Amino acid sequence: MAKADKINFSTPSGFPEFLPGEKRLEVYLLDTIRRVFESYGFTPIETPAVERLEVLQAKGNQGDNIIYGIDPILPPNRQAEKDKAGETGSEARALKFDQTVPLAAYIARHLNELTFPFARYQMDVVFRGERAKDGRFRQFRQCDIDVVARRELSLLYDAQMPAIITEIFEAVNIGDFLIRINNRKILTGFFQSVGIAKTKIKTCIGIIDTLEKVGESKVKQHLEADGILTEQTQKIIDFIKIDGNVDEVLDKLKHLAQNLPESEQFSLGVTELETVITGVRNLGVADNRFCIDLAIARGLDYYTGTVYETTLLGHEALGSICSGGRYEELVGTFLGEKMPGVGISIGLTRLISRLLKAGILNTLAATPAQVMIMNMQDDLMPTYLKVSQNLRQAGINVITNFDKRPLGKQFQLADKQGIQFCVIIGSQEAAAQKSSLKDLKTGEQVEVALDNLAEEVKRRLT
């Protein structure tokens, strides 16, 4: 192949590729998240990576989620056939940009086979055609849970979400974090009470949601550019800046509800928020893990009640590391009935990238092996294989070195892969049914009977 004809095999922009230690970290986090999800009774499902385009656009092209369309590349003898037939709207396909809209379609497809409330988790890859940049990907893994009911869904499911978030992030030990909770009904009700037209409320909520990114001054400009009066804008800014501990904010909101005009929606939101906060506390979540933040809005249109965003304290520039909320109409879109739901999402690929760059997490060793069996001489391979299997049956991960090379090279190979222990068996050790066990972390080397090898390795691993 001529130099000019070389294939560009670099990864496409925005599509991540992991080295072994990075992938092992992802698998560890997935296992941790899965364990917590399942401890609350969530069951796994998987939806197709490809959905009908009309399904993905059923609630509009949410936020900045640019959808990747799918158009098969056919050989020349079939391309004319495709051009002649054309594609109708119902036949157009696209890659899913999140898990929530596909969940709605999944429930519609399997309505009579599911039990409600239906609690599911998904940890699939999704695709967004946004501009690739540091920490932003076009392909990434989302870890989602949602509970969906028919007609009514207890607010205690909303209360479970902060408990689940807390367990996950405490388990992976990423440092102090804060779950910020609000209720969209409170925002909607307040906007109504200050005279914001109903047609402008969703736009206002979207603008408020940008506060942390653009700052107070820009939010004021955007609100006024959208036709909101200066007096109304100031009232909105003053409202979302209400702070204090959870009980103080709740007291301020309840007092405000008694004095606001047209406060029915506002009062309902405050009541729901108080119910959720009580449930969060009853689930044992410490008060320092959550707060009420009236600026949390979640920009997606389908959220209608409780909303959450989680921030890593001291690393606020990382943005939300887990978010979600309650929706009333999304799932029922395909069925024409009320199907309320609540859920949260962890954008795991983006989170790993950010935490690694910030030094909060480190990659794991390149291999899960804890022991390498050294190859001292080829005629002892039957012994090496037997010892390897005995260790594996004891629950120890083992690499058997099949290639004969100098002992120093074998130690280097083990160390490079992060393997802690090397087992050395030469002819004299084999005859005496013994081995030398070397700890590459400490440099210590001890003699161990083969019958006791597994027990000794396990003792030193703990």
Side-chain angles (χ1 to χ4, degrees):
M1 181 182 292
K3 185 175 181 179
D5 296 332
K6 283 186 177 180
I7 295 172
N8 181 359
F9 54 82
S10 61
T11 54
S13 176
F15 292 82
E17 185 173 68
F18 295 128
L19 289 170
E22 296 167 335
K23 184 62 181 180
R24 288 195 63 229
L25 174 61
E26 183 193 51
V27 170
Y28 160 72
L29 294 173
L30 286 170
D31 287 344
T32 303
I33 294 167
R34 181 184 296 109
R35 175 179 55 78
V36 176
F37 285 171
E38 292 191 352
S39 75
Y40 283 80
F42 287 82
T43 191
I45 68 166
E46 184 172 332
T47 57
V50 176
E51 281 282 2
R52 297 180 187 278
L53 181 59
E54 62 181 319
V55 167
L56 297 178
Q57 293 183 320
K59 291 296 288 183
N61 196 1
Q62 296 289 334
D64 60 355
N65 303 326
I66 303 170
I67 297 174
Y68 274 117
I70 296 291
D71 192 15
I73 300 173
L74 300 177
N77 64 325
R78 293 193 57 196
Q79 189 63 42
E81 173 187 331
K82 177 192 170 187
D83 294 341
K84 183 178 179 180
E87 271 200 344
T88 66
S90 65
E91 291 171 336
R93 307 285 191 268
L95 294 170
K96 62 183 179 185
F97 64 84
D98 79 346
Q99 313 277 28
T100 311
V101 176
L103 170 64
Y106 177 92
I107 289 174
R109 292 191 287 257
H110 301 283
L111 184 66
N112 297 324
E113 302 162 82
L114 301 176
T115 301
F116 292 90
F118 176 55
R120 79 85 173 90
Y121 72 86
Q122 272 182 272
M123 299 196 283
D124 296 350
V125 170
V126 299
F127 303 85
R128 294 182 187 172
E130 58 188 350
R131 185 168 66 89
K133 55 184 178 180
D134 185 35
R136 301 287 289 185
F137 301 97
R138 291 169 172 165
Q139 172 189 312
F140 56 96
R141 190 176 301 278
Q142 278 188 316
C143 300
D144 288 16
I145 52 172
D146 287 86
V147 184
V148 176
R150 304 185 77 170
R151 292 173 290 280
E152 300 294 335
L153 181 68
S154 170
L155 287 167
L156 291 179
Y157 287 107
D158 298 42
Q160 275 193 340
M161 297 300 164
I164 292 168
I165 296 170
T166 299
E167 287 192 37
I168 289 171
F169 290 129
E170 286 183 348
V172 298
N173 195 28
I174 61 171
D176 289 334
F177 56 90
L178 185 66
I179 305 164
R180 299 182 291 169
I181 308 173
N182 196 10
N183 190 298
R184 286 273 286 256
K185 292 185 178 72
I186 293 174
L187 292 174
T188 301
F190 184 79
F191 291 150
Q192 289 174 346
S193 73
V194 297
I196 305 297
K198 188 175 181 180
T199 55
K200 291 184 177 290
I201 288 177
K202 283 187 177 180
T203 301
C204 289
I205 288 176
I207 293 171
I208 292 302
D209 195 51
T210 66
L211 178 65
E212 285 191 345
K213 293 180 181 178
V214 304
E216 182 180 319
S217 176
K218 286 285 187 183
V219 166
K220 286 182 177 179
Q221 289 178 29
H222 293 160
L223 287 171
E224 291 176 8
D226 201 57
I228 308 304
L229 300 177
T230 301
E231 181 183 354
Q232 294 172 317
T233 295
Q234 191 57 53
K235 286 180 179 179
I236 291 171
I237 295 297
D238 291 342
F239 174 72
I240 62 176
K241 289 171 69 175
I242 291 175
D243 60 6
N245 64 40
V246 168
D247 294 314
E248 290 170 345
V249 175
L250 279 174
D251 285 344
K252 292 174 184 177
L253 290 175
K254 285 188 279 189
H255 176 75
L256 196 55
Q258 295 173 356
N259 298 284
L260 281 179
E262 301 180 30
S263 63
E264 183 179 348
Q265 181 83 341
F266 184 90
S267 297
L268 178 58
V270 173
T271 299
E272 289 184 359
L273 181 59
E274 186 173 27
T275 300
V276 170
I277 294 298
T278 300
V280 171
R281 284 173 164 163
N282 288 338
L283 284 162
V285 180
D287 277 7
N288 67 335
R289 291 299 193 201
F290 66 95
C291 71
I292 296 173
D293 188 337
L294 298 175
I296 297 301
R298 300 297 300 141
L300 298 180
D301 288 347
Y302 51 68
Y303 290 120
T304 57
T306 312
V307 285
Y308 322 88
E309 286 196 0
T310 308
T311 305
L312 193 58
L313 298 179
H315 298 274
E316 287 79 5
L318 297 178
S320 177
I321 60 174
C322 178
S323 56
R326 174 176 278 246
Y327 44 86
E328 301 293 331
E329 300 173 0
L330 175 63
V331 176
T333 296
F334 303 112
L335 295 168
E337 68 172 90
K338 182 181 177 183
M339 298 193 74
V342 62
I344 54 174
S345 177
I346 302 172
L348 189 62
T349 306
R350 186 180 184 192
L351 180 61
I352 291 174
S353 170
R354 289 170 158 188
L355 295 183
L356 286 174
K357 188 172 182 179
I360 299 166
L361 288 180
N362 296 306
T363 59
L364 301 186
T367 174
Q370 299 151 308
V371 172
M372 176 179 282
I373 307 295
M374 314 298 268
N375 186 347
M376 302 296 291
Q377 49 195 84
D378 288 339
D379 63 326
L380 289 177
M381 188 56 65
T383 298
Y384 302 151
L385 295 177
K386 181 179 179 180
V387 171
S388 300
Q389 290 300 84
N390 288 341
L391 292 175
R392 292 184 185 112
Q393 288 165 8
I396 299 166
N397 301 331
V398 180
I399 286 179
T400 310
N401 203 341
F402 296 139
D403 298 319
K404 180 79 166 59
R405 63 184 75 185
L407 191 59
K409 293 288 187 182
Q410 295 187 57
F411 283 137
Q412 289 177 10
L413 179 64
D415 189 54
K416 186 176 181 180
Q417 296 179 86
I419 298 172
Q420 183 175 355
F421 296 102
C422 293
V423 174
I424 306 160
I425 304 172
S427 55
Q428 291 183 350
E429 289 89 354
Q433 288 295 290
K434 293 181 179 180
S435 67
S436 290
L437 179 66
K438 182 163 186 174
D439 186 334
L440 296 186
K441 284 187 177 178
T442 65
E444 182 184 9
Q445 185 168 318
V446 296
E447 189 177 83
V448 184
L450 291 181
D451 287 344
N452 300 329
L453 183 59
E455 181 181 343
E456 180 64 18
V457 170
K458 291 174 78 171
R459 183 184 72 80
R460 288 173 176 268
L461 282 170
T462 56

